Amino acid sequence: MSADNETLVCPFDFSRALDFDPSLGSLMERDSPVRIRLPYGAADAWLVTGFEAVKQVTTDQRFSRAGIIGQDYPRMTPEPIVSPESINVMDPPQSSRVRHLASQAFTQQQVDGMRHRIVQLADRLLDDMERQGPPADVVEHLSDKLPRHAVLDLLGIDSAEWPWIQDGVHQLLVVGAENKEAATKAKADLAGYFAELVAQRRKSPGSDLISAMAAAQEGDERLDDRELAVMTLTLALSGQDTSTCQISNIAYLLLTRPELLRHLRSRPETMTDVLHEMLRCIPFRKGWESPGGSRGRGTRRCAYPGGGLRARVVPDGQS
């Protein structure tokens, strides 16, 4: 165990099946945040664990998402993934406004339509895997393709465009310093592409998510073209890492825990509850990232005056 004032290097490189990272487990037993150093950024960050502490960071307005804008903030990738207009780096009331407008594209009717299309896509990928014959690679045939293809399909993007979009998104997620130039170019290319796509959907709307978000309105409030383009890019990014990792992890767990697989086969009505529990218990990636984020894309907030956690005060301006 390190001293409280020691800065630890992150990420932690433990990787053994789905075992929880013992280094992170030890840090979670502490009563206060831990200072960590990420590969990129001008300052250290604070690692916060425990339900109540994480809840405070994500709800207390003394901890700001927008505070990192314009700063060389701690991160895993050489090129910052988020844009200033992204909801990931907004504070209320701006974030509330954008979230409320975007949520109009996710009505029950819209979600039911999405579910049908995603089930069709999953069935097609599984059929393709079965035709290939054993041995089957779940990552190659299902977990790598399903999230990416589903998101781009729901956005109404032609399948001919998928390969270069997926390559560009991958460039943004590469953590090597030598990739900074390629990541910067990919970010600019993707932003330009989605800006043009938004303009097209404004003129000729369809049944896709972009058109639905473009039509969202609350009084005089609407998402402007830049907000909509960044939201679309954010959704495209969301289809890359999190779901791929968790589909693979769940498949691995079921294959290595035959009693759990037998339970699901005999009591399929428990599927939803079992999935929720697996998502709660399975460490994401190597166990240190926050749920819902890609590697190194956990929640980052900048402390404003008075921000403190348990026995420690987080200095103003630190992430």
Side-chain angles (χ1 to χ4, degrees):
M1 180 66 67
S2 61
D4 284 346
N5 59 355
E6 181 181 351
T7 299
L8 302 178
V9 176
C10 193
F12 310 114
D13 288 328
F14 178 83
S15 182
R16 187 176 66 201
L18 297 183
D19 294 349
F20 197 78
D21 188 329
S23 298
L24 182 58
S26 297
L27 295 176
M28 291 177 67
E29 295 176 358
R30 298 191 179 190
D31 292 329
S32 61
V34 179
R35 189 188 297 271
I36 60 173
R37 164 64 65 173
L38 296 178
Y40 305 96
D44 294 336
W46 293 92
L47 176 66
V48 179
T49 61
F51 178 81
E52 291 299 331
V54 171
K55 180 181 178 181
Q56 181 181 352
V57 170
T58 54
T59 59
D60 190 326
Q61 293 191 13
R62 291 173 297 178
F63 294 93
S64 168
R65 290 176 182 261
I68 69 171
I69 297 299
Q71 306 295 322
D72 186 15
Y73 61 87
R75 59 190 184 277
M76 285 294 300
T77 58
E79 171 68 15
I81 295 174
V82 297
S83 300
E85 299 87 354
S86 173
I87 195 170
N88 297 337
V89 287
M90 288 181 185
D91 294 327
Q94 179 68 355
S95 60
S96 303
R97 167 187 164 274
V98 171
R99 183 177 291 109
H100 179 71
L101 288 169
S103 69
Q104 294 182 31
F106 296 88
T107 63
Q108 189 61 53
Q109 183 179 1
Q110 286 274 4
V111 171
D112 288 341
M114 294 179 201
R115 181 181 294 112
H116 176 69
R117 293 171 69 172
I118 293 172
V119 168
Q120 284 187 320
L121 176 58
D123 287 344
R124 185 165 67 248
L125 292 174
L126 289 170
D127 289 343
D128 291 343
M129 182 168 67
E130 185 177 19
R131 279 192 292 270
Q132 293 282 336
D137 188 325
V138 173
V139 175
E140 177 184 350
H141 291 285
L142 181 66
S143 60
D144 190 38
K145 292 181 178 179
L146 178 59
R148 293 182 294 151
H149 291 183
V151 169
L152 296 178
D153 178 61
L154 293 173
L155 291 173
I157 297 173
D158 191 281
S159 59
E161 304 278 5
W162 293 1
W164 85 262
I165 293 175
Q166 292 165 2
D167 181 66
V169 170
H170 173 73
Q171 293 294 339
L172 289 178
L173 299 176
V174 173
V175 298
E178 70 282 355
N179 193 65
K180 179 174 176 56
E181 185 176 338
T184 302
K185 183 179 185 304
K187 186 176 181 179
D189 290 345
L190 288 168
Y193 172 79
F194 285 119
E196 292 181 6
L197 194 60
V198 164
Q200 293 174 9
R201 299 295 163 81
R202 292 280 195 199
K203 295 178 181 178
S204 303
S207 59
D208 55 275
L209 267 180
I210 300 175
S211 299
M213 289 190 293
Q217 188 168 355
E218 184 73 24
D220 294 332
E221 290 286 347
R222 300 180 66 181
L223 294 173
D224 64 36
D225 286 1
R226 177 64 178 167
E227 290 172 332
L228 186 52
V230 171
M231 177 65 75
T232 304
L233 175 56
T234 301
L235 291 172
L237 280 166
S238 301
Q240 294 296 310
D241 220 21
T242 311
S243 299
T244 291
C245 288
Q246 294 299 61
I247 291 172
S248 302
N249 288 341
I250 289 170
Y252 173 86
L253 184 62
L254 292 176
L255 291 171
T256 56
R257 293 279 301 277
E259 74 281 4
L260 183 56
L261 186 57
R262 285 195 298 270
H263 168 82
L264 286 175
R265 285 172 171 167
S266 63
R267 296 189 58 192
E269 73 277 5
T270 66
M271 174 71 77
T272 299
D273 289 340
V274 171
L275 281 174
H276 287 167
E277 188 65 8
M278 287 193 290
L279 290 172
R280 186 182 72 84
C281 294
I282 294 174
F284 178 66
R285 206 56 178 263
K286 291 184 179 179
W288 69 269
E289 291 89 350
S290 64
S294 176
R295 175 169 179 163
R297 286 197 291 134
T299 299
R300 292 183 178 81
R301 290 176 181 257
C302 181
Y304 282 160
L309 290 163
R310 296 179 185 164
R312 186 182 293 273
V313 175
V314 179
D316 299 349
Q318 292 196 5
S319 298

